[in-house]
Amino acid sequence: KRRFIRFSLVSKIVLTTSIALITLGTILVFILEGSNSNTMADLPIVTRIVVSIFESVSGRTAGFSTLNYADTRVATNFVMMALMFVGGATASVAGGIKVTTLFVVLLSIFAIVRERAHVSAFGREIDDSTVKRSYAILIVCLAFSFTCSIVLALTNPQISMEQLAFEAVSAFGTVGLSAGATTDLNQVGKVIIILTMF
């Protein structure tokens, strides 16, 4: 019942970024998997749309899946990794860096490109400490996910790097999706995944 303009800045950021990510994820999953005979090609068009929406939402939060990510295209898995890495909204139980962090970093990049001194959104200025904290979160989490992937690759050389990276990002975002490598991990790999989830 409230008008959008009366929402808090965080609410506006969460709503707009979530809608953008759901829409982008849906479009990409639909395009990439719509013609994949191993996943969605044989489904009716309406079902393909519903599956695409579901995967786009679930990939950032719940980890439920109607697709087998061992059969999806590599490009689809990278899209899902990006969604899992971002995760859900601030104060939600979803993992990832959060949509607010992504929003602030993207706004900051646009401000730098436009040579503006301050970052602002919806008519409000975002303070420098928040911008710096957002960059710190992004860099630390990227480094952590990358390190986890490398360690998994060193300890589980029999599994492809794409599958290991998918497992690492899924564990980091506490999503629970798998490209089929979870059961093939050795004991060291399983410990790494457990620690990554924590």
Side-chain angles (χ1 to χ4, degrees):
K1 293 179 180 180
R2 295 171 60 188
R3 290 167 55 195
F4 183 78
I5 198 168
R6 295 176 61 191
F7 288 1
S8 70
L9 179 60
V10 172
S11 296
K12 290 176 183 177
I13 290 172
V14 167
L15 287 171
T16 54
T17 311
S18 295
I19 290 168
L21 287 173
I22 290 168
T23 304
L24 182 62
T26 299
I27 292 168
L28 290 174
V29 171
F30 183 83
I31 290 170
L32 295 170
E33 292 303 314
S35 60
N36 186 348
S37 58
N38 294 326
T39 55
M40 296 195 324
D42 299 330
L43 300 174
I45 184 74
V46 174
T47 307
R48 277 184 272 169
I49 293 169
V50 171
V51 168
S52 299
I53 294 168
F54 182 84
E55 294 301 321
S56 179
V57 173
S58 184
R60 292 191 307 111
T61 56
F64 298 119
S65 179
T66 55
L67 298 177
N68 182 354
Y69 284 96
D71 296 331
T72 52
R73 294 188 166 116
V74 175
T76 306
N77 288 356
F78 276 102
V79 168
M80 293 309 297
M81 285 168 58
L83 292 174
M84 290 188 293
F85 183 78
V86 173
T90 304
S92 72
V93 294
I97 62 170
K98 306 295 186 188
V99 294
T100 47
T101 302
L102 175 68
F103 186 87
V104 171
V105 168
L106 290 177
L107 271 187
S108 172
I109 291 168
F110 287 134
I112 291 168
V113 169
R114 294 178 176 181
E115 297 183 355
R116 293 185 176 172
H118 302 286
V119 178
S120 60
F122 303 105
R124 300 267 307 273
E125 186 177 316
I126 298 173
D127 59 289
D128 288 340
S129 64
T130 302
V131 175
K132 289 176 184 175
R133 192 165 50 249
S134 296
Y135 273 105
I137 290 168
L138 176 67
I139 292 167
V140 168
C141 293
L142 275 174
F144 184 82
S145 298
F146 180 78
T147 302
C148 178
S149 301
I150 295 299
V151 174
L152 284 174
L154 289 171
T155 57
N156 293 269
Q158 77 280 7
I159 304 173
S160 73
M161 189 65 204
E162 174 226 325
Q163 286 181 307
L164 293 173
F166 193 93
E167 299 294 319
V169 175
S170 178
F172 164 75
T174 61
V175 177
L177 295 178
S178 175
T182 305
T183 55
D184 297 329
L185 291 171
N186 59 26
Q187 294 303 314
V188 176
K190 289 176 183 175
V191 169
I192 293 165
I193 290 295
I194 291 167
L195 293 175
T196 303
M197 284 190 280
F198 278 110

